[in-house]
Amino acid sequence: MAARLGLALRNALRYFPPDVQEQLAPEFAQELRLYGHIYMYRFCPNLEMKAYPVEQYPCRTKAAAAIMHMIMNNLDPAVAQFPQELVTYGGNGQVFSNWAQFWLTMSYLSQMTEEQTLVMYSGHPLGLFPSSPGAPRLVITNGMVIPNYSSRIEYEKLFAMGVTMYGQMTAGSYCYIGPQGIVHGTVLTVLNAGRRYLGVEDLAGKVFVTSGLGGMSGAQAKAAVIVGCIGVIAEVDGAALRKRYQQGWLMEVTNSLDHCIERLRYNSWPGLFYVGSLVDTDSRLVHELDTTGELLVDLGSDQTSCHNPFNGGYYPVQLGFAEAQSLMASDPAAFKGLVQESLRRHVSAINRLAQGNFFFWDYGNAFLLEAHRAGADVGKPGASKMEFRYPSYVQHIMGDIFSQGFGPFRWVCTSGDPQDLAVTDHLATSVLEEAISGGVNPAVKLQYMDNIRWIREAAKHQLVVGSQARILYSDQKGRVAIAVAFNQAIARGEIKAPVVLSRDHHDVSGTDSPFRETSNIHDGSAFCADMAVQNFVGDAFRGATWVALHNGGGVGWGEVINGGFGLVLDGTEEAEQKARMMLSWDVSNGVARRCWSGNRKAYEIICQTMQENSGLVVTLPHEVTDEYMLQQALQA
C-alpha cells in the first residue's frame, strides 16, 4: 500500500520541475489521504470556465479552438456536476484526472498545427505527434485496462495512482452538452414507452415515477413536462433539487408524500415533486394499492448513478443524505450493506406494483444488475445472465429505434450566438420535413415526426445550458443531410462560425454494452466489443476531427466499451466530404451488426433503411433462432 501511495505521488509530481516538487509533495500527499486521489486543487483556474466564442481561443487551427470550446463547456459550473474534481456528470465521469493535465492539454492545443495529432492516455496528454491534415487532431483513450484487471477494485487502485480514469461517455471525450441531451432521450423513451406499454400516443394524465435530479437524471423533470405526463421525481440531494428548481425544470417541490399522493389522485397536469427516496415513494404507492385498490402510477424507472452504488451513486433509504455521506466515508462496508438492503426493498415494491398495470424498465444505469448482486428478486426463469424480470429500455423501447439507425446526433455552434443555434434548428427541421415529403417508411416517418416535435419544444423550453447546442435522433440519411446543410450555411455566412458535430456514445454503433445499448443483440455477441472499437477506428480514418474510446460509461467500469467522435464543420468542401464519409460509417457499422444478430422483428426495417441510406443490400434468408438451428441439425 505504501509503495502504491508513493507511486501515486511521484506520478503527480512528474508534471512539475524539480525545484517546486518539494513544495507540492506534502500538499498532494494530503489530497491523496483525504480524497483517495490527487486533483491538484491549487491549479484550478481562476478564470470563468465556460464555452467562449471560438475566435477568442489563442490557437493555430480552427479544430484546436473548437476542442478548447468543448473542453471548457464540459467544465462550466452550470454544466458540470463537480467541476473542481473535473467531473462532468455521473458522479465520477471526468474530463481530466487532475488540473495539471488541463493546463498541459490547453497548451498543446494552442500550439497544434494541421500536421499534428495530440494523444491522450486517460487524461494524460502524451504529446503532439507528426500527422497529416486528413488525420484526427486528437485521439483519446480512457480506462483501457487489460480485461482481466477491468474490475471495480482494480479501478480504485489505478485511479488513485493517477494512471487511469473514468471518462463516462461524453465527459472524457469533451462532447457533453448539459442535461439537454438526456432530456431529449428521455422524451423519446417515455413517448415510446407509452406506445408500447399503454397503447397511447397522448400521455396526458399518465403518471411516470422515477428518481434522480443530478447531472443526467436531472433531465427527467423537464422531459415529463414536454411529453405532458405527470412526473414524480424523487431526489435525496437538496443541492441537485435546488439547481433544477432554479432552472425552472421543477414545477412544484414537496417533502410530503401525503401531498404527493393527493396530487396524483386529483390532478392530471405535469407536476414535478421532490419526495426524498424513491424507495419510500414506491413503498407508499404499494400501500395505496393495498389499502384502496388504486394503482396511482403507470410507468416507472430509476435513474440514479447505480453503476457507482457504493460511492454516492445510490443512497440507502434508511439514512438521511448527510448521515449517509458520513457513513460512506467512515464505514464503507456498513454503507454497502445498507445500499444493498435498500435495493432489495426497492425491487420488492416494484414487484408488487407490477402485479397491476404498472410498467417498469431499467434505464441502463446498472440498477437491475446491482439489485441482482444485492440478492433482490429480479430473476427471470430460463433467462440468460444479461436478462432480468424487467427489460432494459433498450430491449423494449429504444432497441428497435437504434436498429433503424436512429440515435443521438448533436451539434454545437462555436460562435456562442443563440441566433446561430436558431438557424441550425430551422435547417435541421427543414431537412427532416423534406425527407418525409420525399417518402419514407412509416417507422422512419414516426421517428422524424417525433424529432421535429422535439426541436420545436426544445426552443420553447430554453434547454440550452452552457454551449449553444442541440440534439436530435436521426438516421444515417438524416445526419448526413443535416451536416451538409450546416456546412453549406457556414460557407454562405448564414452561420457565423464552425459547428461541431458529435453524438452521445449511447447510439446504434458507438457502444458495446450488454446491459444497455447491445442488450437486444441476439447472436450471443453481446459481451463482445468489436463494434465499438471498429467504430472508433473507422471514424478516425474517415475524417473525424477527434475520436475517443472508453472503458466504462453509464453502466459502470468493466461493463461497457464505447467510442465517440467530434467533427468540425467549417464550410469547406473537405469538411463536407468528411461528414459524408464519416457519418455514414458511424451509423451503418451498427445497423449492419444488428442485421446479422438474428433480430427478425427489426430485420425488414433495417434492410430497407440500409438500402435507402447507402445502397447497401443485405440479405439474411432465415432468422437464426434455436428452432431453426435445431431443424438444420436434424436435417444434417
Side-chain angles (χ1 to χ4, degrees):
M1 177 65 75
R4 193 162 66 239
L5 295 178
L7 183 57
L9 192 56
R10 288 197 298 275
N11 288 341
L13 291 171
R14 65 184 168 178
Y15 293 106
F16 303 95
D19 59 334
V20 299
Q21 289 184 8
E22 185 175 349
Q23 177 187 352
L24 293 174
E27 183 179 314
F28 288 173
Q30 178 72 352
E31 285 188 16
L32 189 61
R33 283 192 296 270
L34 289 175
Y35 312 117
H37 186 74
I38 299 170
Y39 293 99
M40 306 183 186
Y41 288 112
R42 71 150 58 206
F43 297 106
C44 184
N46 289 323
L47 58 88
E48 183 183 1
M49 190 71 72
K50 66 177 185 178
Y52 291 91
V54 71
E55 70 273 5
Q56 295 186 21
Y57 294 99
C59 295
R60 301 170 69 181
T61 73
K62 292 179 182 177
I67 294 167
M68 282 189 172
H69 181 93
M70 301 292 281
I71 287 173
M72 293 189 71
N73 183 68
N74 268 33
L75 293 170
D76 182 341
V79 174
Q81 188 177 15
F82 306 122
Q84 286 190 305
E85 287 74 40
L86 302 113
V87 171
T88 302
Y89 66 90
N92 59 352
Q94 289 185 286
V95 184
F96 301 104
S97 184
N98 60 57
W99 284 106
Q101 293 174 350
F102 166 84
W103 287 111
L104 278 172
T105 299
M106 298 299 266
S107 175
Y108 281 132
L109 288 169
S110 70
Q111 303 168 41
M112 176 190 288
T113 71
E114 291 286 354
E115 295 184 342
Q116 292 176 313
T117 294
L118 175 59
V119 177
M120 303 292 297
Y121 277 18
S122 292
H124 172 68
L126 201 64
L128 290 169
F129 293 85
S131 187
S132 68
R137 299 280 68 80
L138 176 66
V139 177
I140 304 167
T141 52
N142 285 310
M144 290 292 106
V145 173
I146 301 300
N148 276 355
Y149 301 90
S150 189
S151 67
R152 187 174 288 157
I153 293 174
E154 292 295 335
Y155 163 72
E156 297 293 345
K157 297 175 185 176
L158 294 168
F159 179 62
M161 285 191 290
V163 294
T164 198
M165 75 173 207
Y166 194 80
Q168 261 285 350
M169 290 187 145
T170 52
S173 63
Y174 319 149
C175 292
Y176 189 58
I177 61 169
Q180 178 187 172
I182 193 65
V183 173
H184 177 242
T186 308
V187 164
L188 293 185
T189 300
V190 178
L191 278 175
N192 285 285
R195 289 167 179 151
R196 179 180 182 101
Y197 298 131
L198 306 177
V200 299
E201 289 287 337
D202 184 359
L203 287 168
K206 302 300 181 183
V207 177
F208 172 50
V209 176
T210 183
S211 61
L213 289 168
M216 298 290 279
S217 59
Q220 296 182 108
K222 179 58 78 173
V225 172
I226 290 173
V227 302
C229 70
I230 303 169
V232 180
I233 321 296
E235 174 57 65
V236 297
D237 182 353
L241 166 73
R242 287 189 295 274
K243 182 175 183 178
R244 299 306 174 203
Y245 188 66
Q246 289 165 0
Q247 289 174 334
W249 288 21
L250 295 175
M251 293 174 64
E252 182 173 350
V253 175
T254 181
N255 59 7
S256 167
L257 277 171
D258 289 338
H259 180 71
C260 183
I261 294 298
E262 182 181 359
R263 285 292 200 189
L264 290 184
R265 185 167 279 133
Y266 299 114
N267 286 278
S268 58
W269 53 277
L272 288 308
F273 310 91
Y274 165 70
V275 292
S277 169
L278 184 58
V279 182
D280 281 336
T281 312
D282 285 349
S283 297
R284 177 59 183 273
L285 289 167
V286 168
H287 173 76
E288 296 298 320
L289 176 61
D290 288 341
T291 57
T292 70
E294 288 184 274
L295 181 66
L296 298 175
V297 59
D298 300 287
L299 301 170
S301 191
D302 173 274
Q303 208 176 107
T304 56
S305 298
C306 221
H307 68 278
N308 187 33
F310 311 124
N311 290 289
Y314 184 97
Y315 281 85
V317 66
Q318 304 92 326
L319 302 175
F321 184 66
E323 189 180 3
Q325 287 187 310
S326 176
L327 184 65
M328 181 167 50
S330 64
D331 193 343
F335 182 82
K336 178 179 179 179
L338 290 178
V339 165
Q340 292 189 318
E341 180 190 341
S342 188
L343 283 166
R344 291 191 294 270
R345 288 173 56 181
H346 194 161
V347 168
S348 178
I350 291 168
N351 289 346
R352 174 66 186 97
L353 294 170
Q355 291 173 5
N357 196 36
F358 167 70
F359 297 92
F360 179 88
W361 67 85
D362 184 289
Y363 227 127
N365 60 336
F367 172 76
L368 290 179
L369 180 63
E370 289 300 333
H372 171 70
R373 289 170 174 167
D377 183 14
V378 294
K380 179 180 177 181
S384 69
K385 65 178 181 178
M386 64 184 209
E387 287 185 290
F388 300 108
R389 176 181 298 191
Y390 303 102
S392 156
Y393 77 122
V394 172
Q395 291 169 332
H396 268 197
I397 303 169
M398 302 304 291
D400 289 342
I401 295 173
F402 285 162
S403 293
Q404 297 173 59
F406 281 85
F409 181 62
R410 48 175 69 162
W411 62 89
V412 175
C413 298
T414 64
S415 66
D417 187 344
Q419 182 56 38
D420 274 358
L421 184 61
V423 172
T424 61
D425 281 350
H426 173 71
L427 288 171
T429 303
S430 298
V431 164
L432 297 185
E433 289 174 337
E434 185 176 341
I436 292 171
S437 66
V440 292
N441 71 57
V444 171
K445 180 179 179 180
L446 179 64
Q447 296 307 315
Y448 279 169
M449 293 299 294
D450 281 350
N451 282 280
I452 291 169
R453 171 184 173 181
W454 156 258
I455 290 257
R456 290 169 177 159
E457 291 291 330
K460 287 193 294 186
H461 285 274
Q462 300 178 339
L463 293 175
V464 169
V465 178
S467 60
Q468 292 295 315
R470 189 68 78 220
I471 180 173
L472 60 78
Y473 266 49
S474 186
D475 57 357
Q476 176 183 322
K477 185 176 182 179
R479 297 187 211 198
V480 172
I482 291 169
V484 170
F486 289 174
N487 196 61
Q488 292 176 353
I490 295 168
R492 294 190 300 265
E494 295 170 10
I495 299 172
K496 292 180 285 297
V499 170
V500 174
L501 303 182
S502 70
R503 55 162 169 74
D504 194 345
H505 301 196
H506 170 57
D507 198 5
V508 56
S509 294
T511 298
D512 286 297
S513 177
F515 297 102
R516 193 161 76 177
E517 283 81 1
T518 47
S519 61
N520 67 330
I521 295 295
H522 302 293
D523 65 353
S525 69
F527 290 92
C528 301
D530 301 82
M531 182 176 72
V533 176
Q534 290 283 4
N535 186 259
F536 164 82
V537 174
D539 284 355
F541 66 71
R542 286 179 174 86
T545 308
W546 71 93
V547 288
L549 188 69
H550 304 319
N551 173 6
V555 294
W557 182 267
E559 303 287 356
V560 53
I561 299 293
N562 63 73
F565 75 88
L567 175 64
V568 177
L569 299 177
D570 60 7
T572 62
E573 291 184 10
E574 292 80 6
E576 180 173 324
Q577 183 181 15
K578 288 178 178 180
R580 290 183 184 277
M581 288 193 298
M582 198 225 78
L583 293 174
S584 295
W585 166 251
D586 194 64
V587 176
S588 61
N589 171 37
V591 172
R593 182 190 183 186
R594 283 168 166 78
C595 250
W596 287 99
S597 76
N599 184 355
R600 175 65 64 177
K601 180 179 180 182
Y603 170 67
E604 291 184 2
I605 292 175
I606 294 170
C607 290
Q608 182 179 349
T609 301
M610 290 189 71
Q611 190 165 0
E612 288 175 354
N613 285 336
S614 61
L616 179 61
V617 178
V618 179
T619 58
L620 184 63
H622 300 284
E623 183 177 9
V624 187
T625 61
D626 291 342
E627 292 79 9
Y628 172 72
M629 295 303 293
L630 177 61
Q631 183 183 42
Q632 296 302 302
L634 290 173
Q635 289 177 357

